[in-house]
Amino acid sequence: MAGRPRSDPVRSDPPGQRRPVLLAAPDRGRHRTGRVRRRGAVPEEPRVGGGAEAGGGGAMGVFAFLLLLLPWAARGAAVCGRCPGPPRNGSIVAQYCASQAGTESDGRCCRQRGASSERLLGLDLSNCSLHSLPLELAEATAVIILDLTDNPLMSLPRNSFLGYTHLQRLAVPLTLECPGGSSAWENVTMGENDRLCQGQRNPCNSSQELAWPCPENAACAPDGPGLIQCLCNSPFHGYKCLREGTFPVLLFCSVLGVITLSLSLLLWGTQRRKAKTH
C-alpha cells in the first residue's frame, strides 16, 4: 500500500528578528561572501533572512546552551587574558583608555566602568607572538580600538573581522594591509613598523556596485570592514525575505513541548521495563 504523501513543515523566523546573510563588497573584481566557505565549493547566491533549519529541537538545545555561556562570552575573559599584563604603555588601546572617562583595564582589555562594564571598548594584543588571529577574538566584536602590532602575523583573512561594526581604529603590522582594503577605511597611515586603519566606512554607502544586491524586501547594513549583510525589513522574513507575517511562537513551543514530553515518557517507559527484567 502506498504511503500517504508527507509534506515538509513550513518554518519561519521569530517575530521582529532580522536574520542576516553576509556579503562582501567587491574586491578587485571578485565576488566573495563574508562567511567561510569550504575549499573547492562552488559560489552560491547567499540566502537572505533564511528560515529555520531541520532539527529544531537540537537547534533549541544549542541555543539554550549558548544563552548559558552568554554572560561569560560578553566579558571576553579568554581574549582579555590572551597575553599577560595590562595594555602596553604607548599602545593605542592604553592611550584611548586613559583619555576616556569611566573606563578600566581588565588584563589586555579596556572596559566601560559601571552599569555597562560588560562591554569591551579596546583590546591590546600587541607583542603577543601571534602567527594567526586567535579564536578568542570572536568574543571582542564590540571593540572600538584594536592593536595587533609587533606580531609575526602572516595574513588577515577577509572574514576575520566579521561583525566588527564598531571598530574605528585598528593597528596592524606594516607588512599587512588593512582588512577590506584601503577603501574600507577613511584614513590609512603608515608608521615605521605599523599600519593604522582609522574610520571604518559603510560599504552600503559606497558608489561601487555590490557583489550581491539585496532583494526587494531587504536593506543593506554594514557587518565589518568591507563586509555587508542584507537584513529583512519587517514584517518580511525567510528565504530572500519572501515570507510575510509573524512567527507562530505559541504553536511552535506547543509542538516542541509535546514532542519533548512524549520522548521523555517513551524513554522512561523503556528504561523501567529493562530495570524490571533485570
Side-chain angles (χ1 to χ4, degrees), residues 185-241:
W185 303 87
E186 295 288 348
N187 187 22
V188 177
T189 57
M190 292 180 293
E192 294 183 2
N193 300 310
D194 56 30
R195 188 186 307 268
L196 183 60
C197 318
Q198 301 184 80
Q200 184 180 162
R201 288 178 174 173
N202 186 347
C204 299
N205 297 335
S206 174
S207 59
Q208 296 179 341
E209 183 180 358
L210 299 177
W212 292 103
C214 292
E216 180 180 358
N217 300 320
C220 175
D223 201 23
L227 300 171
I228 68 169
Q229 56 183 332
C230 288
L231 300 178
C232 295
N233 297 322
S234 180
F236 296 95
H237 56 86
Y239 177 70
K240 289 189 176 182
C241 305

Side-chain angles (χ1 to χ4, degrees), residues 27-46:
D27 183 27
R28 299 180 180 177
R30 299 181 182 178
H31 293 258
R32 302 182 180 178
T33 59
R35 292 290 189 189
V36 179
R37 186 186 299 122
R38 292 176 297 178
R39 293 181 178 178
V42 178
E44 299 179 355
E45 183 178 356

